[in-house]
Amino acid sequence: MTPNSSKPKDFKDDFWKSKNIEISFGDITQGNENDDEDILMGPTPKPTVTDLRSWDMKLLERYPPFYAPFCDMCCLCTFGKCDLTGKKGACGIDIEAQQGRFALLTCCIGAAAHSAHSRHLLEYLIHKMGPDFPIDFGNNIDIEAPIMRTLIGKRPKTLGDIREAMSYMEEENLHLLSACHTGQEGNYLDFESKALHAGLMDHIGMEIGDVSQIAALNLPKGDADTPLVELGIGVVDREKPVILCIGHNVSPGAGIIDYLEDNDLEDDIELCGICCTSIDITRYNSRAKVVGPISKQLKFLRSGVADVVVVDEQCIRSDVLEEAKKADTALIATTDKMCLGLPDRTNDDADSIVSDILSKKIDGALILDPQKVGEVATKIVMPLSKTRKNVKTLPDMDKIQEDASNCSECGWCVRVCPNNIPIMDAVSTAGKGDFEKVEKLYDHDICYTCGRCEQECPENIEIMSLMAKIGQNTLNNQKFNIRVGRGPIQDVEVRRVGAPIVLGDIPGIIAFVGCTNYPDGSEDVAKMAEEFLKRKYIVVTSGCGAMSIGEYKDEDGKTLYEKYSGDFDAGGLVNVGSCVSNSHIPGVAIKVANIFAKRPLEGNFEEIADYILNRVGACGMAWGAYSQKAAAIASGVNRWGIPVILGPHGTKYRRLYLGRSDKEETWNLNDMRTGKVIKGEPAPEHLLYAAENREEATVMLAKNCLRPTDNNKGRQIKLNHYIDLNKKYFGVIPEDVYKYVRTEKDIPITYKNDVKKILEKNNWEPRELAMEPSILDFPEDKKAKK
C-alpha cells in the first residue's frame, strides 16, 4: 500500500494472465519477458493524422475555425506574392486554406522546439545514465507517462524505452511539416486537423522531456509539499559573483550546480535563472534562484547584475550576445539551437577557454558539454565579478534625467508598443526628475521590455536602460516566493478528486500557462488565480505563468504560494514545473479517465479525449501571447477536448475555435448507455477563445468548466460561480444561463428567483440528462434512438 492510499493499487483485469509471476511474502513481481503482450490495445496505437481525422472533424464541426488574418497576401513561395482577397493564389490556395496552413506551420514550429529540446535532453541523459536507467516515480505514481501510454500503447520502463516514442513523434512531425509545402494540402479543415495533430505531438514531446529529466536528475516526483524558493530580481545577491541561466534546457544549469557542489562553492557564487531554465534548476537544487519569466530578460541584462550569462534554447532574445557585450558580461552558448556566431570550444581545455574569454580574444564560446559549461562558467565568474564591480553599482540619477530630458514627445514609442502603454509620458516626466511613472511601468511587468520603443525613438534614448536603472530603486520590493515545480499529479490524488471533478462538486481545474506578454502586467494573472483559489477550484500552473503568479503579494505581504497548499485538491495551487511540465496538465485529465472511470489508455486516444471533453471540467488560460510553442500547446490541449482562453493578444495567432451556441443541433450528444440522441448544451462553449480583458476572461474560465456530466449539485455550484462572477464584473446575471439549466434542480439557490425569470422569458423546458455523453458515433451494435 502507498503511504497516502487507503487501498492497494488497482491492477488490470488481465493481470493474472501475465507470465513469469513470482510471489514472495506479499510482493508481486512480473518477469521482464513480453511484459506488454497481454495489454488490451485500443484502435489507434501510434496514430497518424488520418487515424484521428474523424475525431478532429467532429471537434471542428462543433467548434469551427474563426480566422483573423494579419495579411491577405501569401509570400511563402516564388510564385507569389499572391493576393488572396476573394481570389486564389498561383498554386490554387484560398485565404481559408492559407490561414489553416499558417496555423499548422505555427504548431509545427512550436512542436519542433519542444521535441528537439527533448531529443537533445533524452540522448544526453542516456549518455550520462545509460539506456537501462529506470523510469521510477515512486509508490504514489503508477502511470508515469499517460500521454505516451495512450499514444504509443506502452509504458516506458527505462530511458531507452522512451526512444520509441521519440521516433514516432519525430516521424509524425516530419509528415506534418511537409503538408505546408506548396502544392500539398488545400483544405482548411484538413490543415486544422493537422495543426491539432502537431499540438498532440507537442504534448508527447513535452512529456518525453519532463519524464526523462525527472527520472534521471531526481527532480520532484509529484510531491505536493515541494519547498518555496526565492523569486524576483531583488533576491539576487549582487555582492557575489552571479551566473545567470536563460532558456529551457536544464542540462547546462545542472552542470553548473554539480561543479559548484563538487568544489564547495555553493555559498560563494549566486546561480539564478530566467524563463523555464530557472524553474528546472530549482527543481534540481532548491538553492538556485528564479529571477522571473521571459519579460525580465532585457531588464536584468541591462542592469548589469549578471557576470556570466549561460544560454541554452527557446525564448531567448536573439540579441542576447549584443546585450551581454554592452554590460561587459561573458556569454556561453550551450546548444546547437543557438550558436550566436560563437566559436565551438567544446573540445578545448577549460582553462584555455576561460583565458580567451577573460582576455577578450573571443566574445564568448559555444560549449556543447554541460559538465564543461559548469567548470568554465564558474572559473570565469569569480575573476570577472571583481573587474565588473562598477557595472553593478547604481548609476547617477542625474545622468538618467539628462538622457530622458531629450524626449521630444513625438509619440512613436506609444505607437509601436504592443500594449499601448504610456511610455512617452513616463520618459518625459523622468526628464523632469519625476521617476514614479517609470517605476509603475517597471512593477508587475506592465512594460514587457520588448525594446520596440527604444528601436523607434528618434532621439536614441535608451529607454530600456532607463527602465532598468530606475527600476533598481525598488529592488527591495522585487522579492517573492515560488513553489518548486512538483512534476506530475499523483495517482492517489486523482483517486481522491476524480469523482468530485466529473460530477462537478469541485467546480473545475484552471490552468495558467503560456508566455508573459500580458496586456496590463502580470498582476492580472495572479488576481485571476486567486479568484478561483478562493472559490475552491483547483489551480495548476507552469512556466512563465507560475512565476507571474508568484510575483504578487496580498495586503499581508504573502504570495499565493504561501497562502495556498500545493495539493491537487479544491483550493490547491499546483506548480507542475517548466514548459515541458505542461504535459502533466492534460496528463491528469487522462488519469481521471483511466483511474477513476477505468477507461483503458493504450491506443485509445478518441475515447479518452471524448471522456475529457464531456466530463472533465478543465479550462486553460494563456493570458499572454508570444511564441509558437504556446500555440502548439494550446492546439494539443484542444485536441484532448480541453478549452483554452487567450488574452487580447491571442487573436494574433490568427485562429480561434468558436462554438455557436445558437445552433442547437451541433450540441446534441450520443448517450452511449441508452443509445439515445440527447439534446445537449454549449458546454464547453468554445475550444479556443480570446477575451478582451481580465474580467471577461475570468467569467469565461468559469463558464467553460461546465460539462454534461455535472450532477444537479455540481451544476448548481458551477452556475453559482458563473453567475456570481458575471454579476461581480459586469453587474448582471448572464442572459444565456437558461441554456445550462437542465432541470430546476440545477438552479443555484442564491439566484433562484432571478434565474426563473430568465427561464420564463426564454420559454425554457426541462430536458433529459445524458447518462454517458459522447460526440463519438454509436457502436454498430447500438442503434441511436430519436
Side-chain angles (χ1 to χ4, degrees):
M1 292 178 65
T2 58
N4 299 319
S5 178
S6 58
K7 62 178 182 179
K9 288 185 180 180
D10 295 321
F11 295 103
K12 292 183 173 63
D13 293 337
D14 57 352
F15 176 80
W16 298 105
K17 298 177 185 176
S18 302
K19 297 180 180 180
N20 300 330
I21 300 286
E22 299 173 2
I23 302 178
S24 61
F25 299 104
D27 292 327
I28 302 176
T29 59
Q30 185 174 353
N32 292 324
E33 182 183 354
N34 299 323
D35 278 349
D36 296 312
E37 71 174 9
D38 292 326
I39 289 176
L40 180 63
M41 189 64 66
T44 53
K46 295 185 180 179
T48 64
V49 64
T50 50
D51 289 332
L52 302 181
R53 184 170 178 261
S54 61
W55 167 255
D56 297 336
M57 293 306 169
K58 286 180 172 63
L59 283 181
L60 295 169
E61 181 182 7
R62 181 183 274 197
Y63 305 104
F66 172 84
Y67 294 124
F70 263 7
C71 176
D72 296 322
M73 306 292 290
C74 177
C75 313
L76 198 59
C77 75
T78 55
F79 284 118
K81 47 190 179 179
C82 296
D83 181 1
L84 302 180
T85 52
K87 312 166 206 173
K88 292 182 180 179
C91 69
I93 201 166
D94 61 21
I95 188 67
E96 278 189 320
Q98 171 66 3
Q99 294 308 303
R101 176 163 67 171
F102 188 86
L104 171 58
L105 184 59
T106 300
C107 291
C108 283
I109 294 170
H114 282 139
S115 303
H117 170 196
S118 293
R119 170 61 86 175
H120 194 173
L121 183 60
L122 175 65
E123 295 304 327
Y124 169 69
L125 294 174
I126 287 176
H127 174 75
K128 184 178 180 180
M129 313 300 292
D132 296 327
F133 190 86
I135 305 296
D136 183 3
F137 282 14
N139 291 330
N140 288 343
I141 298 178
D142 189 42
I143 305 172
E144 301 93 343
I147 298 175
M148 277 186 259
R149 289 272 288 268
T150 304
L151 296 182
I152 306 303
K154 296 180 181 178
R155 170 188 177 185
K157 298 178 181 177
T158 66
L159 289 178
D161 290 344
I162 297 178
R163 280 176 167 156
E164 183 177 356
M166 194 81 229
S167 297
Y168 156 72
M169 180 263 299
E170 288 170 337
E171 180 180 353
E172 292 302 301
N173 282 343
L174 187 65
H175 290 307
L176 291 167
L177 185 58
S178 75
C180 295
H181 189 275
T182 302
Q184 294 264 44
E185 185 59 74
N187 180 273
Y188 78 102
L189 288 177
D190 272 306
F191 270 125
E192 292 294 349
S193 174
K194 291 174 171 65
L196 291 171
H197 197 59
L200 186 62
M201 293 305 103
D202 185 50
H203 281 213
I204 195 171
M206 290 188 293
E207 187 178 72
I208 287 169
D210 212 36
V211 166
S212 300
Q213 65 184 16
I214 288 171
L217 299 179
N218 196 31
L219 307 187
K221 300 176 173 65
D223 304 321
D225 58 348
T226 53
L228 294 173
V229 292
E230 292 181 292
L231 162 69
I233 291 178
V235 304
V236 179
D237 188 347
R238 295 166 172 240
E239 299 302 315
K240 294 181 180 179
V242 177
I243 301 174
L244 170 69
C245 297
I246 310 177
H248 285 73
N249 193 322
V250 71
S251 301
I256 296 169
I257 290 171
D258 290 343
Y259 190 85
L260 294 177
E261 289 179 344
D262 292 344
N263 292 274
D264 296 323
L265 294 170
E266 302 117 296
D267 295 326
D268 301 325
I269 293 175
E270 195 83 336
L271 177 63
C272 57
I274 287 175
C275 230
C276 282
T277 286
S278 66
I279 287 183
D280 280 344
I281 60 176
T282 62
R283 295 168 79 190
Y284 189 61
N285 186 317
S286 59
R287 295 184 62 164
K289 294 178 179 178
V290 180
V291 173
I294 185 174
S295 51
K296 295 291 190 294
Q297 251 186 94
L298 198 52
K299 291 177 184 177
F300 200 67
L301 289 170
R302 290 283 179 96
S303 73
V305 174
D307 298 298
V308 175
V309 173
V310 177
V311 297
D312 48 83
E313 57 185 299
Q314 302 168 42
C315 300
I316 306 165
R317 288 188 63 92
S318 298
D319 59 356
V320 63
L321 179 58
E322 177 186 340
E323 291 295 337
K325 289 166 69 176
K326 286 180 183 176
D328 199 25
T329 299
L331 187 137
I332 300 172
T334 62
T335 77
D336 57 358
K337 313 301 184 301
M338 194 177 206
C339 300
L340 296 170
L342 296 171
D344 186 351
R345 303 295 298 270
T346 305
N347 297 319
D348 292 351
D349 175 71
D351 290 333
S352 69
I353 303 171
V354 171
S355 175
D356 287 349
I357 292 177
L358 290 176
S359 64
K360 300 191 183 301
K361 287 184 179 179
I362 53 178
D363 292 329
L366 173 66
I367 305 175
L368 302 176
D369 177 356
Q371 297 303 313
K372 185 171 287 185
V373 169
E375 181 180 0
V376 172
T378 304
K379 287 184 174 180
I380 290 174
V381 75
M382 299 188 79
L384 188 58
S385 176
K386 295 176 182 177
T387 63
R388 295 184 69 257
K389 282 290 184 184
N390 62 322
V391 180
K392 292 186 178 187
T393 59
L394 200 65
D396 187 347
M397 297 300 288
D398 291 338
K399 179 65 168 63
I400 294 173
Q401 182 178 342
E402 180 185 341
D403 291 343
S405 67
N406 293 322
C407 176
S408 63
E409 300 188 13
C410 66
W412 269 108
C413 53
V414 179
R415 291 189 191 100
V416 299
C417 176
N419 289 322
N420 198 37
I421 62 176
I423 290 282
M424 184 191 74
D425 192 28
V427 174
S428 63
T429 55
K432 299 169 185 175
D434 181 359
F435 305 122
E436 183 179 355
K437 291 182 179 179
V438 175
E439 289 176 351
K440 285 182 177 179
L441 295 182
Y442 184 92
D443 288 342
H444 303 299
D445 290 338
I446 292 174
C447 173
Y448 181 70
T449 60
C450 64
R452 291 181 67 182
C453 56
E454 184 174 293
Q455 295 163 18
E456 295 290 340
C457 179
E459 305 301 330
N460 296 317
I461 300 172
E462 292 192 350
I463 300 173
M464 294 299 98
S465 296
L466 180 149
M467 190 78 65
K469 292 170 184 177
I470 293 178
Q472 289 179 16
N473 292 328
T474 60
L475 273 181
N476 289 335
N477 298 324
Q478 302 289 316
K479 296 180 179 180
F480 311 96
N481 287 306
I482 182 174
R483 188 172 292 116
V484 168
R486 60 173 282 178
I489 310 305
Q490 296 183 1
D491 296 10
V492 290
E493 292 176 293
V494 174
R495 288 192 186 97
R496 184 170 62 242
V497 302
I501 289 172
V502 171
L503 299 177
D505 293 345
I506 292 177
I509 305 168
I510 307 293
F512 290 93
V513 302
C515 306
T516 57
N517 188 13
Y518 303 131
D520 195 28
S522 61
E523 191 170 329
D524 276 351
V525 175
K527 286 181 176 179
M528 283 189 279
E530 187 168 35
E531 183 75 75
F532 288 103
L533 287 165
K534 288 177 178 177
R535 294 172 181 271
K536 299 300 181 183
Y537 286 72
I538 300 173
V539 175
V540 297
T541 186
S542 65
C544 287
M547 290 180 263
S548 294
I549 288 174
E551 293 178 330
Y552 171 74
K553 293 179 181 179
D554 65 9
E555 58 277 4
D556 297 322
K558 288 188 175 182
T559 64
L560 297 184
Y561 291 108
E562 294 169 280
K563 291 177 65 175
Y564 297 94
S565 79
D567 295 322
F568 188 79
D569 206 342
L573 175 57
V574 181
N575 176 18
V576 293
S578 60
C579 268
V580 290
S581 307
N582 276 310
S583 56
H584 303 307
I585 298 174
V588 72
I590 298 167
K591 285 188 176 188
V592 170
N594 176 248
I595 295 173
F596 168 69
K598 306 299 181 185
R599 297 293 198 273
L601 293 183
E602 289 76 12
N604 199 30
F605 173 84
E606 289 192 40
E607 185 181 0
I608 296 296
D610 183 65
Y611 184 95
I612 293 170
L613 173 69
N614 289 292
R615 296 174 182 242
V616 180
C619 189
M621 162 55 73
W623 191 234
Y626 178 77
S627 71
Q628 295 89 358
K629 292 192 309 172
I633 292 169
S635 293
V637 167
N638 291 158
R639 206 186 203 191
W640 287 109
I642 302 172
V644 175
I645 308 299
L646 305 173
H649 286 298
T651 56
K652 296 176 186 176
Y653 285 130
R654 311 186 190 191
R655 181 260 281 135
L656 302 171
Y657 293 136
L658 303 180
R660 288 286 300 274
S661 61
D662 58 315
K663 293 189 174 183
E664 295 183 3
E665 67 279 4
T666 63
W667 304 102
N668 286 344
L669 296 166
N670 294 331
D671 191 334
M672 292 299 182
R673 186 172 302 179
T674 64
K676 293 181 181 180
V677 177
I678 303 294
K679 184 178 179 181
E681 59 198 337
E685 183 180 24
H686 304 295
L687 210 54
L688 191 65
Y689 179 88
E692 293 185 13
N693 50 53
R694 173 171 63 88
E695 292 79 11
E696 182 189 7
T698 305
V699 172
M700 291 302 295
L701 284 168
K703 184 179 185 180
N704 279 277
C705 285
L706 292 160
R707 292 296 181 274
T709 50
D710 299 335
N711 63 15
N712 295 129
K713 178 186 174 185
R715 181 56 60 91
Q716 279 190 32
I717 293 171
K718 291 186 179 184
L719 283 181
N720 187 73
H721 291 304
Y722 173 42
I723 295 170
D724 192 54
L725 287 167
N726 207 84
K727 284 202 68 172
K728 178 178 179 178
Y729 292 120
F730 300 113
V732 295
I733 292 179
E735 282 295 321
D736 65 351
V737 69
Y738 72 95
K739 296 178 181 179
Y740 302 101
V741 178
R742 301 159 302 184
T743 71
E744 289 195 13
K745 293 181 180 179
D746 288 346
I747 303 174
I749 296 172
T750 309
Y751 296 104
K752 193 164 189 175
N753 293 334
D754 292 326
V755 171
K756 278 192 170 184
K757 289 178 184 177
I758 295 175
L759 298 183
E760 292 172 8
K761 177 182 174 183
N762 289 278
N763 300 314
W764 171 87
E765 292 181 358
R767 63 179 187 271
E768 187 176 358
L769 276 66
M771 302 297 291
E772 193 173 339
S774 174
I775 65 169
L776 298 177
D777 297 331
F778 285 109
E780 291 183 8
D781 62 347
K782 189 173 285 189
K783 275 193 172 183
K785 301 175 184 178
K786 299 290 183 181

